[in-house]
Amino acid sequence: MSQTKRQAINIGINDQDRAAIAKGLSHLLADSYTLYLQTHNFHWNVTGPQFRELHLMFEEHYTELATAVDEIAERIRTLGYPAPGTYKALAELSSIKEVDGVPAAGNMLVLLTEAHEQVVRTCREVLVLAQEADDESSASLISDRMVIHEKTAWMLRSML
């Protein structure tokens, strides 16, 4: 069986910059996926007087995050690198720690706010790498993610 030769990537971003951006995007993917799991968990387990409102809101959030993680992973692949895809790899890369147990609804809001803010901070770090490398495609993706997470954090804070 013959092995096909890997085609060189020539998209106007040097190898070193592509590697650095892909590494940063891997951290963003890990943070986003951890936030996705946390939001889905809270959707399933929320209780209390705000149950319906929070249950539906969390569903909106995790549905949006499911699309986002796919877009981030595909950008990593476009840059020529494998996207992390195991729980172990994502947990090692994530800045967001898993929550033990099932917190009260109010604590869920606090934890999700903090997690969205962490994703924004991760975006800011990776955005600098993309901008310095003139990688407009990654910068655009990252900027769009920042807007969504900043707005979501604001909305969650407003419910506290």
Side-chain angles (χ1 to χ4, degrees):
M1 194 184 274
S2 68
Q3 210 172 357
T4 59
K5 183 179 175 186
R6 189 176 100 116
Q7 179 70 30
I9 297 173
N10 184 9
I11 58 173
I13 305 168
N14 70 48
D15 292 345
Q16 183 178 348
D17 287 341
R18 280 188 303 104
I21 296 164
K23 181 178 178 183
L25 287 171
S26 292
H27 286 281
L28 178 57
L29 176 62
D31 282 357
S32 299
Y33 199 86
T34 303
L35 177 55
Y36 163 81
L37 289 173
Q38 188 175 82
T39 305
H40 213 151
N41 174 25
F42 293 171
H43 163 79
W44 289 328
N45 292 301
V46 68
T47 59
Q50 292 181 291
F51 167 78
R52 181 164 173 72
E53 180 181 5
L54 294 177
H55 182 75
L56 294 173
M57 182 180 68
F58 294 162
E59 182 175 10
E60 290 172 8
H61 292 179
Y62 78 70
T63 300
E64 191 281 328
L65 283 161
T67 300
V69 296
D70 192 54
E71 291 172 355
I72 297 165
E74 288 177 356
R75 183 63 194 161
I76 295 166
R77 294 297 300 135
T78 300
L79 293 170
Y81 292 88
T86 65
Y87 288 124
K88 180 180 178 184
L90 293 167
E92 289 172 358
L93 289 168
S94 183
S95 304
I96 300 169
K97 300 305 171 205
E98 289 189 40
V99 176
D100 291 327
V102 178
N107 289 343
M108 288 178 179
L109 294 171
V110 170
L111 291 164
L112 290 174
T113 300
E114 291 171 352
H116 280 278
E117 290 173 344
Q118 177 57 56
V119 174
V120 171
R121 291 191 302 273
T122 301
C123 283
R124 290 189 188 285
E125 292 173 9
V126 184
L127 182 60
V128 171
L129 299 173
Q131 289 171 330
E132 289 175 351
D134 292 324
D135 179 359
E136 193 60 38
S137 298
S138 293
S140 177
L141 171 67
I142 297 161
S143 293
D144 290 348
R145 296 306 316 150
M146 284 175 59
V147 169
I148 290 166
H149 291 288
E150 287 172 343
K151 185 175 182 179
T152 303
W154 159 62
M155 290 182 168
L156 289 165
R157 276 192 306 274
S158 297
M159 296 184 74
L160 293 171

